[in-house]
Amino acid sequence: MTLSWLQIIRLGLVQMSLGAIVVLTTSTLNRLMVVELALPAVLPGLLVALHYGIQITRPQWGYKSDTGGKRTRWIIGGMGILALGGLSAAYGVVLMETQATLGLIVSILAYAAIGVGVGASGTSLLALLATATAPRRRPAAATITWLMMIFGIAMTAGVSGQFLDPYTPLRLMEVVGVVTLGAFALTALAVRGIEARVISRPQEPAAPFLDGLREVWAEPKARMFTLFVFLSMTAYFMQELILEPYSGLVFGFTPGQSTTLSGAQNGGVFLGMVVVGVAGTALRLLSLKAWVVVGCIGSAAALLGITALGQMGPGAPLLPAVVAMGFFNGMFAVAAIGSMMALAGEGRDAREGTRMGLWGAAQAIAAGFGGLAGAALADLARTVMPDATAFGAVFSFEALLYLASAVMALRVMEGKVSMAPQTGAAVPGE
């Protein structure tokens, strides 16, 4: 049998737990280092980049879950490492107040552990979803699990922020301790018994990891999809570090207004994901390939609109344009995740985890590279042209990357990678 809706929601709780821990390290601890400790902003930036860089190990974790026969233990074990890394990262910030060198060493080790934990747990979770979700439920499964992750990020940031005031090191450790322990316990309960009740098959004899990776890379579709993921996710993350500075320098937004702008963008992402999930599964409209292409083209159009608004300056309707960009970003992102799940099952059997790991590594590298590249290009362009034109040039380049991603999607994804079951195809467990 395949995953039921309740089991898919239970696995979504794991994604929610992942988001809850990661947001503390990329947002809360980042702010404490820069504001309360008055450290250079590049320090938390490099620590976050380390967490992304470590995730290049995702193919290894996916391979281990393929050959080990039990994905559940990698999900729970990875979450344990992530929880320990999150708690250690908070302790590193506390140490930095009095012992800067020791605090930095602890932080480096902690963020490395966070990268390992996310890679092991997240990759194995997606591989389990790809293996055991009925084809017609995959887009909805992708939507549910990623919406739950966004919810976990938003809820943790809001609630923990309330409990952190007034800030003290002890209060920080208490809040992070509750979040990390709660996330680990929730994960253990959420995945309990699921894998034993869904489709299982005899595992092939384990082969060396590099041999398994070569087999996956030798598959033309897997190789092309890896390049698609890297290209599209580079475009996705390129505006991450420059959108708020753009709103302040070009449109005169205050810090509070810029924060509201970011929230509105995430609201658009949420809405785009919901639309794909409802329209793709309940109404069975379009294929995953079509949703990816529409999302990429829409994102490119929104970015060009944001670029044009920069020439108008203060008073221009930037907020609706950013919401539109978020909407198409969400549409593209969740359809791309659904495509990963569908394509992970193609090619040689028992390689879903290795494929998901390969694509997860490409996404993580693109996240770090895209953000830094966008910021660097904007800084470089601002030395030779006005702010509006400089930022606009980066946004326009990002739009071109989205259009190139749409072309790649047309080549990589076939019509059969669909949200609705194929005519005459049997759906196990239905």
Side-chain angles (χ1 to χ4, degrees):
M1 60 183 296
T2 54
L3 292 172
S4 67
W5 289 117
L6 178 59
Q7 289 170 330
I8 290 171
I9 292 172
R10 285 174 59 186
L11 293 179
L13 292 173
V14 180
Q15 283 280 62
M16 187 173 75
S17 300
L18 281 167
I21 296 178
V22 170
V23 72
L24 290 176
T25 61
T26 59
S27 179
T28 304
L29 300 185
N30 172 63
R31 180 237 151 79
L32 291 174
M33 282 186 268
V34 175
V35 179
E36 274 70 21
L37 301 184
L39 295 172
V42 70
L43 176 59
L46 289 172
L47 290 172
V48 171
L50 172 64
H51 135 58
Y52 278 126
I54 290 292
Q55 290 185 53
I56 198 172
T57 60
R58 275 180 177 262
Q60 179 81 59
W61 297 115
Y63 170 80
K64 287 181 181 295
S65 74
D66 281 339
T67 57
K70 293 290 184 182
R71 303 195 194 277
T72 299
R73 66 183 181 187
W74 295 108
I75 295 173
I76 296 176
M79 184 62 69
I81 295 172
L82 174 58
L84 181 61
L87 190 61
S88 299
Y91 184 57
V93 172
V94 172
L95 283 176
M96 285 182 189
E97 294 190 28
T98 55
Q99 304 176 65
T101 301
L102 180 59
L104 179 60
I105 293 173
V106 170
S107 295
I108 292 172
L109 295 175
Y111 277 82
I114 290 167
V116 170
V118 171
S121 186
T123 303
S124 301
L125 173 70
L126 291 175
L128 178 58
L129 280 166
T131 304
T133 304
R136 72 180 183 87
R137 290 181 174 176
R138 283 173 179 154
T143 300
I144 290 169
T145 54
W146 284 81
L147 285 178
M148 291 180 72
M149 183 176 70
I150 292 175
F151 175 76
I153 290 172
M155 181 183 68
T156 302
V159 174
S160 63
Q162 296 296 319
F163 282 99
L164 277 172
D165 290 330
Y167 169 75
T168 65
L170 177 60
R171 189 178 291 261
L172 172 66
M173 294 303 299
E174 290 174 343
V175 170
V176 175
V178 169
V179 171
T180 53
L181 180 60
F184 178 75
L186 183 60
T187 294
L189 292 173
V191 300
R192 183 179 180 182
I194 288 182
E195 190 174 11
R197 296 189 182 99
V198 298
I199 295 173
S200 61
R201 63 185 175 213
Q203 295 295 316
E204 297 185 358
F209 165 65
L210 289 179
D211 290 346
L213 188 60
R214 288 191 194 100
E215 288 178 1
V216 172
W217 188 252
E219 300 169 7
K221 185 174 290 186
R223 186 169 60 249
M224 288 293 292
F225 196 76
T226 302
L227 298 176
F228 162 76
V229 169
F230 179 79
L231 183 65
S232 60
M233 287 299 169
T234 297
Y236 185 92
F237 285 100
M238 188 167 281
Q239 52 77 33
E240 187 175 40
L241 300 179
I242 63 175
L243 183 61
E244 290 192 32
Y246 176 66
S247 68
L249 292 169
V250 177
F251 296 88
F253 277 34
T254 65
Q257 289 173 320
S258 294
T259 301
T260 301
L261 186 71
S262 179
Q265 179 189 357
N266 287 320
V269 171
F270 188 93
L271 182 60
M273 289 183 169
V274 169
V275 166
V276 172
V278 173
T281 299
L283 303 179
R284 300 186 184 182
L285 297 176
L286 304 181
S287 65
L288 284 172
K289 177 177 71 173
W291 285 112
V292 168
V293 172
V294 170
C296 286
I297 294 175
S299 296
L303 283 164
L304 293 176
I306 291 172
T307 299
L309 291 174
Q311 302 304 313
M312 299 170 59
L318 179 63
L319 182 61
V322 169
V323 171
M325 180 182 70
F327 174 78
F328 287 110
N329 283 174
M331 182 183 293
F332 143 74
V334 76
I337 296 300
S339 299
M340 284 187 196
M341 292 170 60
L343 293 172
E346 297 188 10
R348 179 178 172 178
D349 288 345
R351 287 282 185 257
E352 291 92 342
T354 306
R355 294 187 190 94
M356 294 301 292
L358 180 63
W359 299 331
Q363 179 180 340
I365 294 170
F369 173 76
L372 291 175
L377 288 173
D379 284 343
L380 181 63
R382 289 178 63 203
T383 62
V384 295
M385 58 184 70
D387 287 343
T389 306
F391 282 104
V394 180
F395 293 140
S396 297
F397 179 69
E398 186 179 353
L400 290 176
L401 292 182
Y402 269 121
L403 293 177
S405 299
V407 173
M408 285 200 70
L410 290 171
R411 294 184 57 189
V412 174
M413 302 175 199
E414 299 176 1
K416 68 180 181 179
V417 183
S418 173
M419 293 188 173
Q422 300 172 51
T423 303
V427 181
E430 290 294 304

